[in-house]
Amino acid sequence: MPFDTCRSEGLYCNRCVRTFPASPSYLDLTLTAGIKQKVYNQRSWGGTELFRSPLVSFVYERGWRQGFAWAGFPGADREYDIAMDYLLPAAGGKVLVDMSCGSGLFSRRFARSGSFSGVIAADFSESMLQQTREYCMQEGEGLNGSTPIMLLRADVARLPFATGSVAAIHAGAAIHCWPNPQAALAEISRVLAPGGVFVASTFLTASAPLGQVLGDDLVRPLSQSMKYWEEQELRDLCEAVGLQGFQRERSWQFIMFSARKPAAAVAMDSADFSE
């Protein structure tokens, strides 16, 4: 987005002709940020609302995420190592976007690595961003350490980045939570720079029985709405939006995969239009 004017109340976009609010906790670049609608109210997908819950944000690193071990997730440290193997060739020394960052479980690790010039920790959930901020403060360096972390409220289906401007995007245990994964992948492909990489982990099968711990009402959206995958579906999604070189590491119901934006666009030939 072309933010060329900074105002006291937030960031002004001369293309949108509006100001996006900034709070002490995070910058909000979602479509309705700072807009008070009189009647219209966008109906939210159940899974999205689940992760906006302060309770879920609080418990995410206090038992929720560790529970993914049942599906074969190897744990945050090993997942970080796999992700870095995929990310560094494309994004070493550049800014990394950690999309759907949750409580900042990986954002903080990426920043501590010193391998990136900055980390954008982005999520649609206000409470997850608040939790990320709290962890950053508790761990000492805050948000302005040797590798700065920017907290950004953003919608994966409408990323506030210029086309071809992002070296790498990571989404840990997130794609199954997105309301429209195909639209999200198309948007990710749009913002990735030539040679840029998308790295994500997700579940290959059905969900965990969390209702006994957190209450059936709270976790019901998980069983009703979330998407779990076959590997070929993930390959298809990437190929459909022009991401190539699919690689993956898979164990039981866990999969982490990467795909790249082609390094250079192929010039279109007039023969492409012939019948």
Side-chain angles (χ1 to χ4, degrees):
M1 276 190 176
F3 296 108
D4 58 8
T5 305
C6 183
R7 298 182 176 179
S8 59
E9 66 271 24
L11 292 179
Y12 180 76
C13 174
N14 63 354
R15 182 176 298 168
C16 304
V17 195
R18 56 166 294 195
T19 298
F20 289 82
S23 73
S25 299
Y26 56 84
L27 177 63
D28 191 340
L29 297 184
T30 56
L31 184 62
T32 57
I35 295 177
K36 295 180 180 179
Q37 296 171 311
K38 294 180 179 180
V39 177
Y40 179 76
N41 185 29
Q42 176 68 40
R43 185 175 181 180
S44 298
W45 178 69
T48 300
E49 290 305 302
L50 173 69
F51 288 98
R52 295 177 76 182
S53 161
L55 174 60
V56 173
S57 301
F58 180 80
V59 303
Y60 190 75
E61 288 189 44
R62 297 175 173 92
W64 180 298
R65 188 53 163 77
Q66 291 86 338
F68 291 7
W70 68 267
F73 276 66
D77 290 339
R78 176 58 185 149
E79 292 169 50
Y80 162 80
D81 289 339
I82 301 170
M84 289 290 280
D85 287 342
Y86 290 139
L87 290 167
L88 283 179
K94 301 176 183 177
V95 174
L96 169 68
V97 176
D98 189 19
M99 190 64 223
S100 299
C101 67
S103 59
L105 179 65
F106 293 104
S107 305
R108 288 149 29 221
R109 284 172 166 80
F110 292 141
R112 286 197 300 266
S113 75
S115 298
F116 308 100
S117 60
V119 174
I120 298 176
D123 206 289
F124 191 76
S125 168
E126 305 92 327
S127 59
M128 283 293 192
L129 293 170
Q130 293 278 11
Q131 188 65 68
T132 300
R133 180 182 176 83
E134 289 180 18
Y135 279 132
C136 288
M137 297 305 176
Q138 291 170 10
E139 292 173 2
E141 285 200 348
L143 300 174
N144 297 307
S146 55
T147 301
I149 299 175
M150 172 186 282
L151 300 182
L152 174 66
R153 185 167 184 248
D155 184 346
V156 69
R158 186 183 178 273
L159 293 173
F161 307 117
T163 297
S165 65
V166 178
I169 296 177
H170 171 265
I175 188 173
H176 49 274
C177 302
W178 296 344
N180 189 334
Q182 191 161 40
L185 263 289
E187 184 69 347
I188 286 168
S189 180
R190 178 187 69 80
V191 304
L192 279 177
V197 66
F198 172 54
V199 178
S201 61
T202 189
F203 293 89
L204 291 175
T205 55
S207 59
L210 296 173
Q212 185 174 354
V213 178
L214 297 175
D216 290 333
D217 289 341
L218 184 60
V219 302
R220 186 168 294 117
L222 284 171
S223 61
Q224 291 178 342
S225 304
M226 289 195 179
K227 168 68 177 173
Y228 297 87
W229 305 92
E230 295 179 19
E231 182 180 324
Q232 187 58 50
E233 289 182 292
L234 297 170
R235 291 178 178 270
D236 290 346
L237 276 179
C238 291
E239 290 175 7
V241 299
L243 299 180
Q244 302 176 354
F246 187 97
Q247 299 180 23
R248 56 81 167 168
E249 188 154 329
R250 177 175 170 176
S251 175
W252 196 240
Q253 299 159 27
F254 161 81
I255 186 169
M256 181 176 289
F257 65 92
S258 74
R260 287 178 173 270
K261 193 75 174 284
V266 177
M268 189 174 296
D269 188 272
S270 60
D272 296 333
F273 295 96
S274 63
E275 294 184 359

